[in-house]
Amino acid sequence: MRLSISLFVVFLAGFNTLHASEVNVPDEKMLVQEARVLIKGYAGQLKSALVQSMKMDGAAAAIDVCARLSPEIAFALGEGSPWTIGRTSLKARNSASEPDEWEHSIMEIFLQRQKNGEKLATIDHYEMTEKNTVFRYMKAIPTGNLCLTCHGDNVAPDIKKRIADYYPDDMATGFKADDMRGAFTLQKILSE
Ligand code: HEC
């Protein structure tokens, strides 16, 4: 009797996994975890490169590092995986980081959520899109004091000049501490 019950359990377990893979139910909790781990890596690498170059060579030189490293690190993290990782903003510095329609609307919602009392650092959003084939995740990026050197409303003239050389259409100044500077934006292609 015991044998037949355990056989039945094994059968059920097998049936469940088969069933799950057949209909391809995405595990959203798992995807959110993956996205958060990627963001931790990206934010950590960016910040340490930024702090180090500001300390060693000053903020104007750190612009070069930001311009070169931020897309490079993002690319390296996503390379060879189904993930794409990047940053976007309602007031972008790099026009390549302009939001698409979906990202734009999510950031508007983030601003509203902040107004309603949520802490910006904990605001995020995820959604299955494209008929459950693309998972998208966004996480708000708060402006810290360190960021004001290059994104605040009192940017020093030498830094301003360097920024304008790289980004003639820069919109990313005038921020105050705790403003939403932008958001991390990630996508994972789930199946073809
Ligand atoms: C040394 C100057 C400098 C400092 C300090 C700095 N940034 Fe930036 N930031 C830049 C540059 C340059 C870019 C454009 C990088 C690129 O080409 O992707 C940028 C781009 C960004 C973007 C991508 C969206 C956009 O506007 O193009 C975000 C988000 C961002 N910064 C957030 C921050 C935050 C948060 C801090 C503080 C922790 C910070 N930055 C500090 C120079 C700086």
Side-chain angles (χ1 to χ4, degrees):
M1 186 61 188
R2 190 176 287 165
L3 180 69
S4 62
I5 287 175
S6 53
L7 272 178
F8 184 59
V9 168
V10 167
F11 170 72
L12 269 187
F15 179 74
N16 265 341
T17 44
L18 190 69
H19 185 67
S21 66
E22 251 174 21
V23 295
N24 217 354
V25 181
D27 184 344
E28 295 195 348
K29 265 199 185 135
M30 203 64 167
L31 290 164
V32 168
Q33 278 308 106
E34 282 179 47
R36 288 183 179 152
V37 168
L38 281 168
I39 288 174
K40 245 196 186 146
Y42 186 40
Q45 288 186 51
L46 272 181
K47 197 150 184 187
S48 61
L50 179 69
V51 169
Q52 206 180 353
S53 66
M54 282 175 89
K55 238 193 237 161
M56 280 175 38
D57 307 308
I63 306 281
D64 303 343
V65 175
C66 264
R68 191 166 41 82
L69 280 188
S70 71
E72 252 175 41
I73 298 171
F75 180 75
L77 279 169
E79 200 183 12
S81 92
W83 284 96
T84 318
I85 178 164
R87 296 182 300 174
T88 185
S89 176
L90 292 170
K91 285 170 73 188
R93 169 152 296 165
N94 187 338
S95 51
S97 299
E98 294 273 349
D100 65 18
E101 217 174 290
W102 185 82
E103 291 165 330
H104 197 281
S105 68
I106 300 300
M107 283 189 287
E108 294 282 1
I109 293 169
F110 284 179
L111 286 178
Q112 196 53 51
R113 285 170 60 179
Q114 184 185 26
K115 243 191 220 155
N116 293 346
E118 271 185 75
K119 236 175 124 22
L120 198 56
T122 62
I123 295 181
D124 65 357
H125 175 83
Y126 61 88
E127 211 173 296
M128 295 298 309
T129 64
E130 312 285 329
K131 295 192 181 122
N132 282 356
T133 58
V134 179
F135 175 79
R136 297 194 75 169
Y137 179 88
M138 287 183 78
K139 186 173 195 335
I141 304 175
T143 307
N145 287 324
L146 165 77
C147 322
L148 300 177
T149 316
C150 300
H151 294 296
D153 43 22
N154 235 335
V155 179
D158 60 327
I159 298 173
K160 246 191 188 148
K161 190 186 168 311
R162 188 76 68 104
I163 291 171
D165 288 345
Y166 277 101
Y167 310 98
D169 302 323
D170 178 37
M171 295 199 290
T173 54
F175 288 91
K176 296 184 173 45
D178 287 336
D179 281 349
M180 181 173 76
R181 175 58 267 273
F184 291 106
T185 178
L186 285 80
Q187 290 195 23
K188 185 180 190 186
I189 311 283
L190 295 173
S191 61
E192 50 288 325

